[in-house]
Amino acid sequence: MLFAYWDTGLARLVVTATEDALTDRVVDHATELAGRHGLTRVDQADLTGLTGPGEPGDDDLVDGDLVDEPDHPGDPAPVRVAAAALGADVLGIAPAVTGARLRLPPSPRLVTAVATLLRENPAFRAWLRERLGDHRMDVALAAANAAVHGAGQSPTSLVLDGALRVCQLTEAVARGAAFEVVHDRLCVPGRDSLPAVPALRPAPRTSPAQDYAAHASAGSVAGAAATLLVKHDLAEAAEAVLAGSPKAARYGPAAFHAVLSAALSRTGVLVRDPGRLRQLEMVRTVVLHPSALRVPDAGADPWTEDVLDAARRAGLRVVMVEDPALADFTGLADQVVGARRPLADVVAELRAEGGVVTVVRPLPGDDGSVSAGLLAGDVAVALADGDCPVAWGADVLAPQGLADVWRVLRA
């Protein structure tokens, strides 16, 4: 074993050992020592999966419901989920094509319509997510969708779903690989790590596509009811449901954000929460803290002007926090706020006008006000270059500094 330490931000015991030394005896010994300090083993295959006292593990139950463990940036679960969903689509395509070629009777269209309606309905998905969690929900819906469309001999829907799953699988692999690349720089003893504070995060905004999906789903039900009332034909009613299914409103944005996350990951950006990237289309303002625009103990970062230009090209309102070292750039901002104002209050005020991207480089000795302002944004981007503390609660970590922020704003 090389070293072991407790990472506050990850809420994990991080153990580093050479491959030939990582035997069951070492694993058991580390687990025994961790248990003495109240840590809980949550993954028999991963020594990083040790949570702190009182934190739920993968197998913990609270009031009978399964509690999801906060995602580890190197967790392979998203890869397994995307692969399982893609496998379900492939397995569903085979019987759909075979049944059609052999002219076997397909399952009733009503079954396909009901399954599609439930899968695309935001309320049902939210209900299922509360009970199963994101990963289990995705696999369950993918399996059910593959079974229904396979029996209904409609492979086209499964091919479309499979294409989306390929994008998501590529994204999950790229995101995991990005963490492996920067792991040795971010996860080291002695480097400060800021814990995630979910209570500080604002609820995600509903996108126009999500609004449309909700209305289209309700409209398809109304159309099916009207069809059934007039024609008294269940098959016709089922076709009305399928015709009104808002697949494009879900598939299009999901594919775009999967490709975006993968593209950012390939450049070295660590996307902590891909779901938050969906908030970018609703962003109206970017808040740039002086800690992000300055080189520690020096003047403005060389990428400052490029970042401001990228924000302008994106049509964003630029808000900067006052700093004498950045006086040459304040003229390029739409608004300059006083350095004494709590950053969280500034962001909360701006959020009333639309989505906000916050950009901060966490600094040692912060009393928590700057970190609170970072997490108050709809999309929180934290720089992770040099030896600055790692804000694991941010949505995007920028190990290469302000250059990564430029990439996000260009997106």
Side-chain angles (χ1 to χ4, degrees):
M1 185 182 298
L2 299 180
F3 61 82
Y5 72 99
W6 175 256
D7 191 300
T8 304
L10 287 176
R12 299 293 196 284
L13 174 66
V14 179
V15 179
T16 299
T18 58
E19 186 174 356
D20 55 352
L22 192 59
T23 63
D24 290 340
R25 185 174 61 83
V26 174
V27 173
D28 293 339
H29 182 59
T31 303
E32 179 186 353
L33 291 177
R36 295 178 187 176
H37 296 278
L39 306 181
T40 305
R41 180 76 173 274
V42 298
D43 188 348
Q44 297 298 320
D46 184 4
L47 262 179
T48 62
L50 291 165
T51 60
E55 297 174 359
D58 285 349
D59 297 323
D60 290 332
L61 291 174
V62 177
D63 296 332
D65 293 329
L66 188 67
V67 178
D68 284 340
E69 176 71 14
D71 287 340
H72 185 281
D75 186 4
V79 177
R80 292 196 297 262
V81 169
L86 178 59
D89 288 333
V90 173
L91 291 176
I93 291 172
V97 174
T98 301
R101 293 292 297 273
L102 297 178
R103 298 184 179 180
L104 299 176
S107 62
R109 293 291 281 173
L110 182 61
V111 175
T112 305
V114 171
T116 301
L117 178 64
L118 292 176
R119 188 188 186 210
E120 304 299 333
N121 184 269
F124 177 76
R125 294 176 65 88
W127 177 84
L128 202 60
R129 182 181 294 109
E130 290 178 0
R131 283 150 181 79
L132 300 180
D134 284 324
H135 295 331
R136 292 178 179 85
M137 180 197 71
D138 283 344
V139 174
L141 289 178
N145 182 67
V148 168
H149 284 281
Q153 299 178 10
S154 49
T156 304
S157 295
L158 295 179
V159 170
L160 176 63
D161 194 73
L164 173 60
R165 298 300 181 180
V166 168
C167 293
Q168 293 175 335
L169 178 58
T170 303
E171 184 273 334
V173 171
R175 191 153 44 92
F179 174 72
E180 293 300 325
V181 170
V182 301
H183 173 272
D184 291 340
R185 282 192 288 144
L186 300 184
C187 300
V188 293
R191 183 168 188 175
D192 291 337
S193 187
L194 306 179
V197 186
L200 297 178
R201 301 311 314 276
R205 298 173 185 270
T206 302
S207 69
Q210 290 172 320
D211 281 335
Y212 167 77
H215 289 94
S217 181
S220 66
V221 174
T227 301
L228 184 62
L229 183 63
V230 174
K231 296 189 175 181
H232 305 285
D233 189 334
L234 286 176
E236 290 285 347
E239 291 298 337
V241 171
L242 294 172
S245 175
K247 285 186 177 181
R250 189 172 67 84
Y251 279 52
F256 172 78
H257 292 108
V259 172
L260 172 59
S261 179
L264 290 174
S265 297
R266 290 194 192 98
T267 64
V269 178
L270 191 58
V271 181
R272 289 288 288 118
D273 187 355
R276 282 280 175 174
L277 291 182
R278 301 182 182 185
Q279 301 293 299
L280 286 176
E281 65 178 293
M282 294 167 283
V283 163
R284 298 292 178 268
T285 305
V286 57
V287 177
L288 301 169
H289 192 265
S291 61
L293 300 180
R294 291 183 56 180
V295 177
D297 302 321
D301 190 290
W303 279 88
T304 297
E305 188 170 353
D306 293 308
V307 166
L308 292 172
D309 181 64
R312 286 290 188 191
R313 289 175 179 272
L316 300 178
R317 178 185 181 188
V318 179
V319 176
M320 295 176 58
V321 178
E322 185 180 20
D323 188 288
L326 300 172
D328 293 341
F329 297 96
T330 53
L332 301 176
D334 296 294
Q335 181 181 350
V336 179
V337 299
R340 294 186 178 182
R341 287 191 62 188
L343 186 60
D345 292 347
V346 174
V347 175
E349 184 178 295
L350 294 170
R351 285 194 72 250
E353 304 172 7
V356 177
V357 174
T358 50
V359 182
V360 168
R361 176 187 282 112
L363 297 175
D366 175 31
D367 59 2
S369 60
V370 175
S371 298
L374 166 69
L375 298 179
D378 295 277
V379 181
V381 181
L383 276 67
D385 54 342
D387 295 324
C388 70
V390 182
W392 292 109
D395 305 313
V396 177
L397 289 177
Q400 300 165 92
L402 211 55
D404 289 338
V405 177
W406 175 84
R407 294 183 178 92
V408 174
L409 293 179
R410 288 286 290 174

